[in-house]
Structure formats: C-alpha cells, structure tokens
Amino acid sequence: MFSILPPNSVSLLADTIYLSFAGALLQVLLPKGKPSLSRWLALLVAVAGLAIAVVGFIAGMGQGRVVIVDAPWVPSMGIHYLLAADGISRVLVLLTGLAAVAGVLFSWNIELRTNEFFAFFLALIGGVYGVFLSFDLFLLFVFYEIAIVPKYFLIAIWGSTRREYAAMKLALYSFVGSAMVLIGLLAAYATSGSHSTSLIDLSHAGFSVSFQMWCFPLVFIGFAILAGMWPFHTWAPTGHVAAPTAASMLLAGVVMKLGAYGCLRVGMSLFPHGLDPWGFSLIGIGSWRDVFAVLAVVGIVYGALVALVQTDFKFVIGYSSVSHMGFVLLGLMTLNQIGMTGAVLQMFSHGILAGLLFAIVGRIVYERTHTRQLAELETMHLAKRLPFAAWAFVIAGIASMGLPGFSGFVAELQVLVGAWKVNPWWVACAGVGIVVGVAYTWRVLQKAFFSDLLPSGHVLEQEHGHALAPITWPEVTGVALLISVSLAVGLYPRILLDAIEPAVKTLLAGGGQ
Amino acid sequence: MKEMMTGFPILTLLTALPLAGAAVAFFSGRHARAVALLTTLASLAIALFVWTQLPSDGSIGLVELHQKWVPSLGIEYHLGVDGLGALMLVLSAIVALMSVDAAHRVHHQPGLYFGLVLVLESGLFGSFTALNFFHWFLYWELSLIPAFFLIKLWGGTKRGPAATQFFVYTMAGSVALLVAFLAVFLSTGSMDFPTLTNLASTGALDKMVTAHLGPITLWLAIGVLAGFAVKVPMIPFHTWLPAAYAEAPSPVTMLLTGAMSKMGVYGLLRIAIPIFGAQIFQIRTPLLVLAVATVVMGAWAAAAQKDLKRIFAYSSVNHLGYCLVAIFALAVPAAGVGVHASQEAALNGVILQMFNHGVTAAALFWFVSILQSRTGGHRGIDHFGGLRKPAPVLAGLMGIALFSSLGLPGLNGFVGEFLIFRGVFPLAWVAATVSILGLLVTAAVILTVIQKVFTGPVPEHCVGFPDLHHGERLALAPVIGLMLLIGLLPQLIVNSVNPTVVNLLAHWRF
Amino acid sequence: MNYADLFRATLPETALEVAALLVLAVDLGLLRKSGLKVRAAVAALLGVAGCGVALWAVLVQGSGGLIFQGTQELLLTSGGIAAVAQIGILVLTALTLLLLVDSVFTRNVGEYVAVVLMSATGGLLIAGAQDLLVIFIGLELLSLGLYILTAFAKSSGKSAEAALKYYLFGGMSAAFLLFGFSYLYGITGSTNLHQILLAVYGQTAYNAAPLLVVAVVLIATGLGFKVAAVPFHLWAPDTYEGAPAPAAAFIASVSKVASFALLIAIGTAALHAFDGGQPIAHLEVHLHGVAAPAHTGFRGPWSLVLVLLAAASMVLGNLAALAQVSVRRLLAYSAIAHAGYILLALAYFSYSPRSAAAVLYYILTYGLTTVGAFGVVGVVERATGSDRLDAFSGLHKRNPILAAVLLVLFLSLAGIPPLVGFWAKFNLFAAVLSVSAGLVPFTLVALAVAFSAVSLYYYLQVLKRAFVTRAMDEAPIKAHPMTLAVLLAIAAAVVVLGCFPTLLQAWIEGFVR
C-alpha cells in the first residue's frame, strides 16, 4: 500500500538522532540576543525529526526488524554501533517526534537563555531517539545516559518550585537506575564470554537460569526506576512539578517510556527466565513477574489515590503519570500478546496525553495565572476567562480517563484483558485505579476550570485589572496536534497496532530473532 | 437475522452530520442557532429516509460492517437499524429539532451551546445504530459529556451539584456496563450484539461464561441492567433526575427526557433482553416490583411537586416506568400463542410509548420554557392562573400536550399505554393492576396542572400574559399535529414497527 | 656496563634533563632582563620542546631494555607498557607546562620548569623500571620534585604548609617502601622484579611467607601513598589545595601515571613469572586469590591488600567529596575515589594484556581530564581569588567557553557517555569481570558503579554553580588564549576519544601486545 516509499527509507530513522544533536550544537552557536532564531531552528529540527519518524514508520509497515546501521565501534570488545528498528521502536520514535514538536511549540515563550534551553532540549530528544533505535546494549546504555544531563539542566535552570532539589533528585535517581543497569550489563557481558554487546547476540547467549534470576530484577528495577515504578517513583512528581512545561512534557511523555522500553527490550528480552516461578510462593507471589505486577498495580492505585488529594494542579498530573505508567508495567508483566501490545500502545497514548495535560497546566494556565494551587484557581472562573484551556483540558481529561474514542481506552482495555488471563485480582485492583482516575480528573476539572465559587477580593481586582494573555498560535497548534493524534489512534488503533503486534509476537517467541 | 449490506454508508453519514454541524456551530457565534436548525432539519430528513429504507421483514437493514477495527479485542465497526432503531433515530432528530427551536434565547456563548447540542445528537444517533459494544459505548459516553456541560454552564442556580450528580450516577452505571461486557468478551471473544444474541438464544452464552469465569452470568446481567436502570431511570437509581431536569435549561431537558432517557430503554431492548434474557427471567419478579414502584412513585412524587419542571420530570419517570413494566413482564418463555400475542402487544406498546413519550415530554418542556420566558424565570405551579383567558392558543396547544401525557384516547399518549396494558395484563396481572394506580395519579396530576395554570382567577401579574406569537405557533403546530396524527392513525408507525417486534421476539430466549 | 647501551636506554630521560638545564641557562642567563610573561613563555616552550624530543626518543627506542651487566636481569625496559606510560607522562607534562603561561604565582619560572622536567624524568624512570633500586631512585626523583613544586607559591602560606605535609608524609612512606624493598631483597636475594617474583613462587621464598606478607603490606603502604589510596591519602586534599594550579595539575596527573605504571609493572611481573605464558608445572597458583593455601606466593597478599585499599578509597573518596566546599579539595577526594577504581583493576589483574591496557587507558584519560580541570580552576581562581564553589557561579555568562570545557571535563569524570571517562570506567570494569566473575569481584564492581553514581552529585554541584546559579559578579573572566587553546584541545580530546574509544585503545594495545 505504501510502496511509493523505497523500502530502505526506514534507515532514514537514524537521521533523527543526528539531526537533533546537530540542532543542539547549532543552538549553542547562535547569537544570544535573538530568541526567535532559536525557536524557529528548534521547530525546524523537531518537525524534520517528526517527518522522518513518520516516513520511517510508514516505510517500515509490514516489515519486522530492519537494521539501519551496523558498524564496529570497539571491535576488541565486540561493541557495535548497531541501530535497528522493529515495530515497537518505530512507534516510540513516532511518539518522540510528536512530543518534540509539541514541546517546542509550548516553549515558544521562553525568553531566558533561549538558545541554551533548546540546545538541552534537542540534546535530550537526540538521546531519546538513540535509545529507541539502539540494538546494541552498550550503545543503548550510552544514549540512555546521555539523556540524563540535559534533564538536569532543563529543570535546574528553567524550572519552578524547588527546581534545584528536584533536578538533582531526578538526576541521581536516573543515574542510580542506570548504574544498576550498568552492573547488569557488565555481568551479562562478562558471563556471555565478552564477545559482543549486540542485543541480538546477547539474547542467544544462553545465560543460566540462576544468573538470570538475579540479573533480571537488577536490570528491570534499574530501568523501572525511570519508568516510575512504585516505590521508586518519588522523583517523578517532584521532578514533573519543578520542570518547565516542555521538560515535564518530555519527562512524563517520553523519558518515562525510556524506562519501560528498557525493561522490555533489555530486561525481558535478554533474561526471559528471570520471570520464571521461583518454586515457592509467599502470599501469592512466586516469581519476579508477580512481584513487579503487584508493584505495578500498587502504582496504579497509589498514584490515583494520591492524585485525588493534591492541592497543586501539576502534582495531580504528576501522580496521574505514575498511575498510568503502572498500566504499562502491568501490561509488560502479563507476558501475553494482548497485554504487552496494550503496554506499548499505552506508552504511546500516555506519552501524548501526558504531554497535553502538562502543556495545558503549565504553559496555558500557570504562565497566565501564576498559580497552580487549586484553591486559588477555583476562584478564577477559568472556564470563562480561558475557555480554550478549559475545553482542551476537558478533552484531555476524558481521554486520560480512558473514555472510548481516545487512545487510552484501547490500550488500557488490552492491558486489562491480558492481565485477566494471568490473575483476575490484578484486574480488579487496576479497575479500582481507573475508577479513582475518573474521580481525580473530575475533581481537578471542576476545581480548576468549572468551579462556581465566588472569587476572593484580590482575585476580583485581578480580573478587572488584567485580562489573561490571549492564546497564541503555537499553543493552539500544539494542542490540536496532540488531541488529533490521540483521537486518531483512539478511533483507528490499527495504525499503531499493525506495527506493534508483530513485534510483540516476535519478542514473545524467543526474543530478538 | 438476515442482514443486508447497502453500498452507501448512510448511517455513518447520519451520525457524522451533527458532528460536522457542531464544528461549524462552535465558530458561528450568533448564527449558531441557524446552523443548528439547518443541521437538525437535515438530520431529520435523512432519518426519515432511513425509516423508509427499512427491510419489510423487520430484520436489521442498512448494515455497514467493517471487521478489522481492533481484531484482538473483538471490536468491529458494525452499524445497522431495524424498525426500533430507525424509530429512535427519527425521534432523536425530532426532539433535537424541537430543542434547538425552543432555544432562541441563548445569550451566553451560543456557539458552544449549539455545538454541544449537536454533539449530543450525534451521540444519540450513534448509539441507536451501533451493533458492536465498542462504539455503542463510545457514543453512550459521548452523549454524557455534552449533557453534563449543558447543565453545568447554562443551568439554574443549583446547576453544579445537579450536573455532578448526573455525571457520577451515569458514569457509575457505565462502569458496571463496561465491566459486565468485558467479562462477556473474555468468555466469548465477541463484542458484537447480533452474534451475542445468537449465542444467548441457543444457551451457549451462559455455558461459555460459566466455563471461563464461573457461574456469574446473573451478576453480569445485573451489571448491565444497572447501567440502563440509571439511564431510564428506574427506582432506586432515579435520584439524579429531578435535580438534573429542573436545573438544566428547558431546551436541554427536552433532550434529556425526550431522547436520552430512551437510550436506556433502547439498551434494554437491544442489549439486555437479547443477551441476558434467561437471567432476566430468573429475577423477573424483583425487577417487576422495581418497575411498578417506578410507575407509582413517579406519579406520587409528581403530585407532590410545586415546580412545573419537577412535576414533568417525575411524570417522565412514571411514563417510562410503563415501558419497564412491559419489558420485564414479557420476559417469559414462550409458552403458546396467547403468551406470544401478549408479548407482541407489550413490545409494540413499549416502542410506541418510547416514541410518543419522547415527543410529548419534549413538547411539555417546550411549553414550560415558553411560560418561563414570559414570567422571567418563574415556573411554580402556583405562580400562574387562568391563563386561558389572556393566552387561549397557548392554553389550547399545551392542553393537547397535557392530555396526551395523561393518555387521552385520540392522542398519541394513549396508544402506547393501551398496548402495554393489553400485553402486560395476561403476562403479569398483579403488576398491571398496581400500575393502574399510576394512571390514576397521573390523571390527577395533569388535571391539577391544567386547573391551576389555565383555569381559575387570573392573578395580576398574569393579566397581560402574552399569547403565542406567530413564530412559536408555527414551530409548535407540527408537533401538536404529530400528536394528533399518531393518536388517530397509529398504524403509521405500528405497521412498520410490528415486523421488527415479531423478529425481535423470535430471537429472544428467556 | 656499556655506556652506549645506557645512553640509548635512557634517551628520553636524558632529553628531559638537557631541556631542564637549557631552561635554567636561558632563564638565568639570557632572559635576566625580560619581563615575567616572556620568561614564562620561553621557559614553558622550551620545556615543551624538551618533552617533544623525549617523546620522539621513546618512539625511536622501540622495545628493548637495559640489562645489568653480566646478568640477564633487566634494569629498565622500554617499549610496551613502559612506552605508553612514558608517552602519557610526557604529553601531560607538556600540557601542564603550557598552563604555566598564564600564571603569576612565582617569579622563578625557570626553576619551576626545570624542577617539573626533572620530576618528569623521575616519572619516566619509574615507568620503565624493573629493579627495586631503580624504582626507588625514580620515585625519589619524582617525589622530591613534587615537594618543591608544591611549595613554589612562596607568597601563599597554604602552599608552604601543603608542601611540608606532603614532604613529611612522602618521606615516611618512602621509608616504608624502602623497608619493604629490603625485606623482599632479604627473602629473595635479588633486586630484580622478575627474579624476586620467581623466587617468591619457588621454594626459596616458601618458608618466608609471613615475612612476604609484611613486605607486601609495606610496599603497598609506600605505593598507596603515591596514588593517594585510603588510608594513605591524608596529604592529598591539602596538597591539591595548596599547590599552585599548574603544579597541582602536574601532581594529579603525571605522578599518578607513573605510580600506576609501576603498579602495573609489578602486577605484570608477578604474572610473567610464568615464564613466557606457561605456568610453572609444579606450582599451584590461584588467580582468584583471597583465600589461598600455602603457595600463594606474591599474588595472594598483593591482591588482598589492593582490594582493601581499593574498596576503602572508593567509599571514602566519594563520600568525603560530597561534603566539600572547595573545588580543589573536591578534586582531591575524587582523585582518591578514582584511584580506588584503578586499584580494583590492579587487584584483579590478568595475564592477557587486557588489564594492563584498561588501566593505562584509564589513567591516561584521567590524567588528561584532571589537567584540564585544574586548568579551569586556575583561571577561575586567578579571576575571583578563591576556588570555592561560589567562585564558579555564573561561569556560563562570565566565560562560556570555560564553562563548556568545565561541563565536558566534569561529566567525563562522573562517567557520563559519550565522554571518555565513561568508556574508561566501562573498560576497566569489564576487564575486572573478564578476569574473575565470582561473587567478590562482582560485588566490588557493583560497589564501584554505585559510588560512581554517587559521584555525579558532587560533580553536578560544581556544574550547577557554573550553569544555574546566578553570578554574584558578572564581570567577564579573561583567560590567556594559550590556556584556552589548551583547555579546548583537552575538552575536544575528551569528547572525541569518548565517541571513538578505539582510537586510543588500539594505540595502547598496539604497544602492550
């Protein structure tokens, strides 16, 4: 159907990485007094990346894993510069492209050190593209770590509440997580005879079951820290709240997916026997699979319950991210086709929706009202003064609740169906999480936008004194982009499922063929 | 069920048309009402056309089937209508048109208002044509959101809590529906209504559910019933209704009572009974009790109200209660020609009652809106008096609507109730007997309204009460005419609906 | 002794000595009347030229050695590991000399350069030494020079204090070292490394096992002091703080390279006792050595001592660095930590050239990074008068190039890819695990990686000041173009070598094989 594109267009995908880093470098070299130059360059790079991602996605339809480049990097240790893309990678690269464009659009108003901001932003995007396209474990790890430093600076310099603390916490958590992964990587490399670090080779290395039993949880937890698995999630709400809008969008939207992707691509593919039953079981938990599934479910419910009682708008969204990522991890632990497909779809869906929610809360509301406290927002009648934000949040909220017609419904449904096949209790608890999800979204929607409370005196004078700044075209474009993607995937999920399902099937059949 | 495929996706068009209209209306500002009028007129035309295209044997026609939506979850794009569905489409179109017509005084953000109304209409069309759970549920939920905002943003003084209660109740019902259907899917691998009906009629559904999940089919049925019980509503899930109907602006209430409540009854007929018929038979008695309670309580509560909107709100509960009684009464295994004939009568009655009540209730709320607009918002029953002197045309037309609601023979309200009672008496005479109480009390309520509003001395503030002007007469005349027409010539509808009724009953197994 | 042989064997050292004398002559004679800047420039350039000639000499020497007359015992080797270390020493010396150009801490630049060159000579000797006495001579030559260099800032009390501490510590540890050497001589009857170790493994030393352990501990004390391993590290923070910046750079890089080269030599010699690769048939040697039977020979106690030193250094170095407010002291403690990592690789040393290559790679790149770090610290100190963290505030505004260099160097020290520091660590740990993948080495590697993660915190503290914190004084910081050029070159090397690790690695392996 899409034979107009030459089949090797998939190899274009690697250009997303190079473009982003080149863009970052160029940003640093731009003259300092011209923020608009910075913005347009960043937008150009992001849009180019998205275009390539789309082309690569379409060209890759119907193909399995396509190797893009395989060059020896450090031959003496068997390390290759190996980039490849299967269905899952292509979907996540697409997500990154969308998140990048949306992020740039919602950062249009940054005036402080604009070129440095976009330099760090594009460097982060480049690292993320790299992780999703790497098929060499060492290379994946390199890109994974590259993404840590820009995050720190983005939050520490341009963030808000307690930014330096939040930035350091996030950087250290990420680094500790990646340290755990590094230990696992070194162990796997040494145990397999130190011949190669390619994921494909390592998945054939035939590690002993006892080795996998401890290496798997180490690597999985290392990655799961970044995915926001309970109880290692505490960096996430603080980090998201402190980060500037574009960084929160990327953090919740894409970076947390890096963790989940690592769990899948590295943890579960290389050490599949790590999920086997231990032979004994304690309160119903008899394998690492049970442990992580339970943690995932706890995350879903805990995140939702805590979100329900927050007084800061952005914290609600931050905790809701923890809750939604729980679905991803639960889906991964189902180890069946439908559950894992749902997990990957949820990665995409939540990536888009989290970006949208943070954009509305951060860029559209906070930057105009200068408060995120629900108690204050209640008195501001935002439905009248910021109707665009209100209605955008309505749509984003119902999408986030998992209403059919948007991307979240199919994803969560698939995860639940998959989880049902393993353990109905997981489904019951996750279902509770969904219901609470409706509740907190509802609460925050009411309080922030549609409240009928009479305004306090000082808010009244604000209302008379200054109108809120009008909605700018980048904001409209960004919101439209994200909503339409979520809607498109929600109404016709086959666009993505056709790419994800074969890849999941291959992974389940015995990884990395 | 034989299904015929047509080439042109007219049902998709019908559903998409109001959405397109909504998009235009959002940006039309003051002209939004005109856009909405055009759209609803066009929808009505298409709905009527669909009505004429029905297959004559009562099976599902105008089918659109695309199987590959999300195969792993059994989700297919499957649309189709039979007599029941098509009648509901026509009803929705009529009520929507009436609602838009009545809303000539939306000053605050009209674009948003009419846009939401059109989205709601689209949701209605969608849920009446969907044959697969996924997009049926999508439209079910889709209609919820605009309704909430319509109440919340343009409603009366206590609109906040009313809207919230409306949302929470309906959502809770939806959750129960979703969970039950998930369980059904997990057991059977299908979300398709015709397929599931076939499975149920052979008894295979129960076996599959029991095999996969244990003996919980009854609980699934209860879950599904709960979802619809909130929507109709059935006692005791009705408590959201009075506040919502009263606080919503009257044109919105027209939609709520005229069309949205029918989604619940339609759901019972399309989904609950076909798929869970046997289980419903098992709990028939408690269900009948609740249905009768709905009838009687609805009427009694209406009698106690002083606010016109609340009177009609409770009266709606009462009228739809008859549908519930009939539906549960006919949930008996076919045991002979007599039973079968009664079931046919009852079902015909239900469908007619759905249509007639939709039109009548919408008309009544339209009149309330007119009354309200002339008194600056007052709608207490004691506020008015002797209006037939200053406003004879209003009194006359509203009187006709009121008598139709009462069930006077010759008007459309009678036919449905008559058929219902005719069918229910042989099937469940106790329920029918108690329901008569409802009829009596309703009569008292309606007559009281007529007496207090139209007869008696004219208070000072009503002396100069303006009568219906030309535009209003023109708008209301077709509605009243329809009431008379259906009342005098019910076979216009019954002839098309009856084959569907026969067909439905043939596939239901209790 | 054939003096031609001697001359040929010590050509590099001679070149340096000649250069030193030349510098003295030129400075004290020709340039008596010139200004400080000119004299500094000339002295530095002459020194660099000398290093260049010595470099050429090393390359020309090829493999070979100096044999003690009448025996087969090597006094000095050239080529192989020695060559790599020597080249490293010379390059780093040249870089620290170039940094001198901007300094104002002394008027006696000629003497300074001369002492530097002489110390470097000592370093060269150590790198090639194969005899205990030659080792000692080289070590003393190196150390005495370093004490003098530390004291060179005559106007600073800290400098004098640091030098005194360094001298006292150093003298005492030299005494320990000599003591240990004497024991070894006593036990084995020879001062040649190979002979010693052969004897140790053979029957002659068997009965003296306890004495051997004492000797090993004493030697480890002496050498542990030189590399600043815990608990012999107490001189390091004060010396790093008190010495003038170019001197500190020299101490931190060159002396480390030399000392670690020595440790490699001992480790290699211990294994080359296996007579060209074949284990001596009647010996039972345990390469995984902690719990060992009677015939552990040298390896057992040596590995154990090194492991203890390594673990202590890693832990204490990193933890103490967390609390530092002075950047120099921070660098000192981080140096202790890095020494810990390297000692781990020396504890688990393999027969194949892999371990030696990994250690050399690490120490060379670490030295390079440290020189750069001290270069930046020097510039900031001269401009602000202090090396506290706050002095670095707002560096990105005051001198963006310097800030960028700082970013690169410190991230490399933290081990963030794609910089060379990451690769060096990975390589090192992979080498350790390839030698021995048991529980103990694995735990130690895990410890190392974990503490590496911790180290990110304090490196980020400096970077946070440079990039995030607002400057107290916004005046631009000027740096001499030569200094900037050197620093940029170092930063570029760090990046390039990190992205293409094979460059340096292949070069080293070419020598070591």
Side-chain angles (χ1 to χ4, degrees), chain A residues 211-268:
Chain A
F211 175 78
Q212 291 191 30
M213 272 297 170
W214 67 262
C215 200
F216 170 75
L218 185 68
V219 171
F220 192 90
I221 295 181
F223 278 117
I225 290 179
L226 199 60
M229 178 169 85
W230 189 92
F232 309 110
H233 66 287
T234 47
W235 62 269
T238 332
H240 291 144
V241 168
T245 305
S248 316
M249 292 170 67
L250 281 185
L251 263 181
V254 178
V255 169
M256 283 175 106
K257 314 302 177 285
L258 282 184
Y261 178 79
C263 289
L264 177 61
R265 185 68 83 198
V266 178
M268 293 167 71

Side-chain angles (χ1 to χ4, degrees), chain A residues 32 73-77 79 112-113 116 120 138 141-143 145-146 148-149 152-153 156-157 163-164 168 171-172 175-176 178-180 182-187 189-190 194 197 214 218, chain C residues 354 396 400 407 411 414-418 422-423 426-427 429-430 433-434 437 442 445-447 449-450 452-454 456-457 460-461 463-464 467-470 498-502 505 509:
Chain A
K32 278 213 198 314
W73 194 10
V74 184
S76 60
M77 291 176 72
I79 299 180
L112 169 72
R113 293 161 75 176
E116 289 176 57
F120 284 122
F138 183 77
F141 186 77
V142 166
F143 278 121
E145 293 245 290
I146 289 182
I148 295 182
V149 172
Y152 174 80
F153 285 112
I157 304 178
R163 56 178 185 254
E164 290 177 14
M168 186 59 84
L172 287 178
F175 209 51
V176 166
S178 64
M180 291 170 78
L182 180 60
I183 298 173
L185 157 61
L186 282 167
Y189 178 64
S194 307
T197 51
W214 67 262
L218 185 68
Chain C
R354 187 159 173 184
H396 73 278
L407 182 72
L411 288 181
I416 304 264
F422 168 72
W423 174 254
F426 181 81
N427 202 12
F429 297 141
L433 287 178
S434 73
F442 189 79
V445 168
L447 195 70
V449 171
S452 214
V454 169
L456 182 65
Y457 177 80
L460 272 182
Q461 289 299 329
L463 293 176
K464 181 172 87 165
F467 282 91
V468 179
T469 319
R470 196 137 294 182
C499 290
F500 304 101
T502 347
Q505 192 165 7
E509 280 174 3

